[in-house]
Amino acid sequence: GRLRMQCILEVPADATNLLTVAGEGRNLTEEGHCVWFDESFEHTLLYEHPERSRMALYIDVLHPGLLDEDQRGPPDIEAGPLDMPDFLEKACRWDSKRLLASL
């Protein structure tokens, strides 16, 4: 299992860029906005625009709950099952106000 971050780099303002994870959908049209989600949940992306493509950056990391103890890294970034957003913030040095997790 992986955790995936999708960062919107370029998307037309009038486009549909709908990411649905575990039945919860978000239309991601704000450039520079990033979203984390757990790929082990059913997920889809629907992109629609008559003329232009979108551009996104994806970063995949192994799900920390599936790593062996010796693969988890330093204790200050280890996570328990309910600490995932905190783990991602520390591991990626991400601003917690912009961190969304669909776990």
Side-chain angles (χ1 to χ4, degrees):
R2 297 184 301 194
L3 298 178
R4 172 168 271 193
M5 181 173 68
Q6 179 188 149
C7 295
I8 307 306
L9 302 178
E10 185 177 318
V11 64
D14 58 342
T16 296
N17 189 42
L18 183 65
L19 174 65
T20 302
V21 179
E24 179 185 340
R26 295 182 184 164
N27 194 29
L28 306 173
T29 58
E30 181 183 344
E31 292 180 0
H33 187 78
C34 298
V35 176
W36 282 101
F37 65 96
D38 184 334
E39 283 196 321
S40 67
F41 290 93
E42 184 176 335
H43 60 281
T44 60
L45 178 71
L46 171 66
Y47 178 76
E48 293 179 335
H49 191 273
E51 299 172 3
R52 292 186 49 209
S53 299
R54 71 183 189 100
M55 187 182 319
L57 170 70
Y58 290 91
I59 298 176
D60 295 330
V61 296
L62 292 175
H63 195 296
L66 301 176
L67 296 176
D68 293 332
E69 189 173 319
D70 61 337
Q71 296 176 307
R72 291 187 185 176
D76 68 330
I77 64 169
E78 285 192 39
L82 301 176
D83 299 330
M84 193 60 59
D86 185 55
F87 168 82
L88 294 173
E89 179 183 351
K90 289 178 182 177
C92 299
R93 304 296 186 244
W94 197 251
D95 178 356
S96 63
K97 292 179 182 174
R98 301 216 26 148
L99 175 67
L100 298 177
S102 299
L103 304 174

